Amino acid sequence: MSYDRSSVEAVVQNYFDGLYECDTDKLGAMFHPSADLRWLEKGEFKVITVPNWLERLKKLPSAKSEGKAREDFIVTIDRSDENTAFVKVRCQWPPRYFTDYLVAMKLPDGWQIVSKSYRYDLKD
């Protein structure tokens, strides 16, 4: 069965815009308040809540303000039903180049990211 991708794509596009602009209000609207981010760093499993992540981002200059290149795209969207999506994306915040795995759910107020796991490469 095929499900409409446009509503999920719109959330992901806002996510990309929020990252590039370092717009914590925009990013906060894309994530459910209980969501967290998970990754491995130097072999250690890390977890941070979305509110704590957004506080960290407020201290950083945006890639846009620094004139850094923007390259972000959806690799795949896997929909198991009309309310759940698994989205793999690629994006960057040089010198970090990310692969993000986002779980999104259609909640009463619309689509939100409920979980993010990611990896990144450092490049010059």
Side-chain angles (χ1 to χ4, degrees), residues 25-99:
D25 290 333
K26 192 175 284 186
L27 288 168
M30 297 300 98
F31 282 85
H32 188 271
S34 70
D36 57 25
L37 289 75
R38 298 164 180 264
W39 72 103
L40 288 174
E41 190 168 308
K42 298 178 183 173
E44 186 179 340
F45 180 63
K46 304 279 189 170
V47 179
I48 188 171
T49 65
V50 168
N52 288 341
W53 175 60
L54 295 174
E55 283 303 312
R56 285 186 184 183
L57 291 182
K58 287 179 182 178
K59 301 171 188 169
L60 300 175
S62 71
K64 181 180 181 178
S65 71
E66 294 184 332
K68 293 184 177 176
R70 180 174 177 172
E71 184 176 331
D72 44 42
F73 60 95
I74 296 171
V75 176
T76 187
I77 296 176
D78 182 355
R79 299 278 305 271
S80 57
D81 63 19
E82 61 190 34
N83 299 312
T84 309
F86 176 79
V87 186
K88 179 180 178 183
V89 304
R90 295 252 167 84
C91 52
Q92 64 189 37
W93 193 323
R96 289 177 175 82
Y97 295 78
F98 296 90
T99 301

Side-chain angles (χ1 to χ4, degrees), residues 10-12 14-15 25-32 111-114:
V11 169
V12 175
N14 282 332
Y15 168 69
D25 290 333
K26 192 175 284 186
L27 288 168
M30 297 300 98
F31 282 85
H32 188 271
W111 283 95
Q112 286 191 302
I113 299 167
V114 298

